[in-house]
Amino acid sequence: VSAIAISWLFAFRLQSALQAVGRIDVTPMPRRQTAVLLACYALMSANWLSRQKGVALSFSSSPVFRRSVARVRRPSVRVMMSSTTSTLDEDGKQVAVIGAGVSGLVSARHLIDAGLRPTIYDSAKAVGGAWTPADPEDQSAAVKMWSGLRTNLSKLTCRFSDWPWSEDASIFPSVAEMNEYITSYARHYLFGSCKFQLESMVVSVKQVASQDGTTKYSVEWQDLTSQKRIQKVFDGVVVASGFFSAPILPEFVGTVDKSKLGETEIVHSSEYKSHETFKEKRVAVVGSSFSALEIAADLTHSASRIVSICSSVPWVLPRWVSDSEGTVLPIDMALFKRSHAFPQAESVQLTPESCRQRHRFLKSIVGEKQLNSDLGEPSDWDKPAHVAISNDFLDLVRERRIEVFHGRLEGICEDGSLRVIDSNTGNESSVEAFCH
């Protein structure tokens, strides 16, 4: 009882102190949550006291205790770190940040905290990077996500460490929700404290020597509204353009004479916007990772035939899974676990045995569902396991709405058919014309 009283008195005083300086906004918890939380504190306190007396109690590992903790929703506590507290030093060194996506915004925020003066450049009209939703009025916008896409990580881990999601956001956010979340981060920490140079494409960065002997960087960009080229010298540059800025295509695609392909289209996943574009068409989706499987599933709403060409076989996991006690969790909460308790350092070694253990764990999540489908399971469990996340892909394969061809794409013929090396036989096969 004393331990409970002390812990709550400390929490109350800390909350009052933070409220007094305007750093925290607290919404009181409902009575039921308070009662359950008190019970949890009581169990933990009793557990601690028993260890001091040499008596081993196991409240924290009991199913009752775990279910009680799971029912307690996080109290509505939001740490308010106003960007006005980070004043820019007018004499501070200037840094160019190329990219207004997640990495660029976080970099700029910490540059400000270090007393530096960042300027963020991006060719888009707004912040968000890859998580920029499609603009119906601007079809030329560099949008990397398709309508209907949702994250494959839950908002519990797909987040900034110092900026919480709103409680009404989806567990697996949409593109629009991700963009609003990223924008809210920039609005809170950067707007008014950082310069933004949007609709500006950086074309070159050159190292130059200054009069005082220090190294500086000349950044040249093109204003996409006026088409003018502008140049400025900075003390440093952060390149945060990301690895999704340019699509990666097989080398032979560049040698294909697209004028001879007729109605056959070659579309990179970054250019995919909606299944409606492929209404009543036959489509081959090349790849077996996240985007490939999710796009194949999305295409079933409009395309007349979908063939998934897979050079390797991943474990296809749903977004929600059950643990050993029957608790339903987002997949990332089940997959991402430390190998040792903090603060002990992680030590993950990829040995054949550790790979087999990982495969067995992933199979325990999927069950026999994947084995009894045309996709099948990974064959070599001595090698690292690959994972893709899709709620619908396996079911659509079992329903024959998605056909699976195991092989590696080698080329495209003039009639639109695909030359594929069969993974099982090693022989070249021809997959009939698509996208007609």
Side-chain angles (χ1 to χ4, degrees), residues 116-127:
L116 303 175
R117 301 167 59 194
T119 299
I120 300 178
Y121 292 85
D122 203 290
S123 59
K125 294 181 178 180
V127 302

Side-chain angles (χ1 to χ4, degrees), residues 350-358 360 381-382:
L350 288 178
T351 64
E353 178 55 32
S354 68
C355 290
R356 289 192 292 270
Q357 289 178 356
R358 189 64 170 175
R360 286 192 290 269
W381 287 24
D382 288 343

Side-chain angles (χ1 to χ4, degrees), residues 24 49 64 125 180 218 430:
I24 195 166
L49 291 170
V64 174
K125 294 181 178 180
E180 171 54 32
S218 174
S430 177

Side-chain angles (χ1 to χ4, degrees), residues 130-136 143-151 173-176 269-278 294-295 297-299 301-302:
W131 292 103
T132 302
D135 184 356
V143 178
K144 299 296 190 295
M145 307 298 178
W146 65 90
S147 60
L149 173 70
R150 289 189 175 272
T151 61
S174 65
V175 177
S269 59
S270 63
E271 302 170 312
Y272 179 78
K273 299 298 180 286
S274 171
H275 58 81
E276 296 176 355
T277 307
F278 299 88
E294 287 283 73
I295 288 176
D298 189 58
L299 282 166
H301 295 290
S302 294

Side-chain angles (χ1 to χ4, degrees), residues 87-133:
T87 57
L88 287 176
D89 181 0
E90 293 300 325
D91 298 325
K93 292 186 177 181
Q94 299 188 60
V95 180
V97 178
I98 304 174
V102 172
S103 298
L105 298 178
V106 171
S107 299
R109 186 256 164 121
H110 288 283
L111 288 170
I112 293 172
D113 286 347
L116 303 175
R117 301 167 59 194
T119 299
I120 300 178
Y121 292 85
D122 203 290
S123 59
K125 294 181 178 180
V127 302
W131 292 103
T132 302

